[in-house]
Amino acid sequence: MRMVIKIAGALLERDEDVQTLARQITELARAGHELLVIHGGGRIFTATLARMGIESHFINGLRVTDRETRDAAVMVFAGLLNKKLAGAISLAGQPAVGISATDAACFLAEPMQIEDCEGSLGFVGYLTEVNVDFLRSLWREGLVPVASCLGLGADGELYNINADHMAAAAAEFIRADRLIFLTDVAGVLDGDKVVSALRGTDIEDLIRKNKVSGGMILKLEAAKRALAGGVAEVRIVGGAKPRALLAAASAGRCPGTRVLPVVRASAKAVHGAAQ
Ligand SMILES: Nc1ncnc2c1ncn2[C@@H]1O[C@H](COP(=O)(O)OP(=O)(O)OP(=O)(O)O)[C@@H](O)[C@H]1O
Ligand SMILES: [Mg+2]
């Protein structure tokens, strides 16, 4: 099975979490799955910016990224975090390669424009293309690609891409069978209960009732996009539990939330309803 595994920045904070995930990724790769691992930066990035005296601003959950912030993003995402994760997977037994947008131009981006909003997001982009041949060449050699959430623009600039947007778009471009979001909560929560399955209409309902906010709204929108783009299964799972990734990758019960495609009325049903 071809899978995109998105790992939250928060799960890269503790070495134990990184090692637990690395062991599970190794197990999946050894079982013959073609994996693309994409990671976020979250709080580690915000803390680095604070240390550099750069304030963080968000518009619609997206980080406003001026040139200085973008340069720091490249250092933290493509540098520290990417190498930490690729190193842990390699040490767990499956050789992994940390890649970012510029390597073989593997992830291309265009700047994101936002409507109904003052100001610009700066170097924030969305994914427009994936070099699938490059990824295939890595899989053929038994290597696990570990990608940071950056895209290369036609202008030669690197763009910061929300990691959930990137994972969803990449899953669509590489025709992944499954997209797994590993996050720092047990799944999509309704109050303190994990919602086991959600459809498109439920998502809008949760947003309207203010039951989801911030990063989770972006994640659910990304999940919807991936499903609409042909990815068969999207799962949102707490990544800190010992075998959470293996469970999410299996055919069995999903430990967190399954996001399901909107059921389209079949031609017959539509025809029937019109009579
Ligand atoms: N209904 C909800 N259910 C679960 N989490 C929610 C909900 N509403 C808001 N959240 C918040 O969304 C967060 C997850 O999104 P967030 O963007 O912070 O992390 P991520 O996308 O998993 O990782 P990263 O942003 O580093 O890539 C949770 O930690 C939680 O605080
Ligand atoms: Mg997020």
Side-chain angles (χ1 to χ4, degrees):
M1 189 155 58
R2 187 171 287 182
M3 281 187 272
V4 172
I5 300 169
K6 156 46 194 6
I7 300 183
L11 296 170
L12 301 178
E13 286 173 18
R14 295 171 60 235
D15 287 346
E16 303 91 274
D17 288 341
V18 176
Q19 281 154 17
T20 307
L21 289 171
R23 279 195 294 273
Q24 295 173 81
I25 290 167
T26 291
E27 206 170 315
L28 292 174
R30 284 187 173 168
H33 297 295
E34 292 175 331
L35 308 176
L36 170 61
V37 178
I38 296 178
H39 61 87
R43 287 191 293 256
I44 301 174
F45 183 43
T46 305
T48 307
L49 290 177
R51 279 213 303 277
M52 294 169 76
I54 304 170
E55 262 183 57
S56 295
H57 300 286
F58 292 87
I59 298 178
N60 299 345
L62 296 168
R63 187 187 298 274
V64 178
T65 306
D66 60 10
R67 186 171 287 279
E68 208 182 4
T69 306
R70 191 281 313 270
D71 290 352
V74 177
M75 290 184 239
V76 175
F77 298 157
L80 188 68
L81 296 178
N82 189 259
K83 302 309 149 199
K84 186 174 180 174
L85 185 54
I89 299 167
S90 296
L91 284 177
Q94 189 69 19
V97 181
I99 54 173
S100 57
T102 53
D103 302 312
C106 55
F107 300 105
L108 300 185
E110 278 182 23
M112 188 180 274
Q113 315 290 343
I114 36 168
E115 289 157 21
D116 305 329
C117 210
E118 264 184 48
S120 150
L121 286 168
F123 292 97
V124 172
Y126 64 95
L127 192 69
T128 53
E129 208 177 309
V130 175
N131 184 344
V132 188
D133 285 341
F134 173 57
L135 296 181
R136 264 196 220 107
S137 70
L138 297 176
W139 289 325
R140 259 198 313 272
E141 296 301 320
L143 301 166
V144 180
V146 178
S148 53
C149 49
L150 295 166
L152 179 64
D155 53 4
E157 297 283 1
L158 281 165
Y159 287 83
N160 179 13
I161 304 179
N162 172 273
D164 291 340
H165 283 174
M166 172 137 170
E172 183 181 338
F173 287 132
I174 71 167
R175 297 176 182 275
D177 304 293
R178 189 173 292 187
L179 166 61
I180 299 171
F181 291 105
L182 296 175
T183 185
D184 62 342
V185 282
V188 179
L189 301 168
D190 182 355
D192 53 9
K193 275 209 340 257
V194 177
V195 184
S196 61
L198 274 177
R199 287 195 191 274
T201 43
D202 305 326
I203 293 174
E204 273 120 44
D205 224 43
L206 284 175
I207 296 174
R208 207 179 38 249
K209 291 181 181 155
N210 290 326
K211 290 187 167 177
V212 288
S213 56
M216 191 49 75
I217 295 182
L218 296 181
K219 201 182 301 299
L220 288 172
E221 285 170 354
K224 264 173 67 178
R225 184 215 151 129
L227 290 167
V231 181
E233 282 258 3
V234 180
R235 297 180 167 195
I236 301 173
V237 171
K241 287 230 183 87
R243 292 179 70 80
L245 172 57
L246 294 176
S250 76
R253 221 186 123 261
C254 172
T257 304
R258 288 177 69 198
V259 189
L260 306 167
V262 177
V263 193
R264 288 203 181 82
S266 69
K268 193 175 163 202
V270 170
H271 186 65
Q275 283 178 340

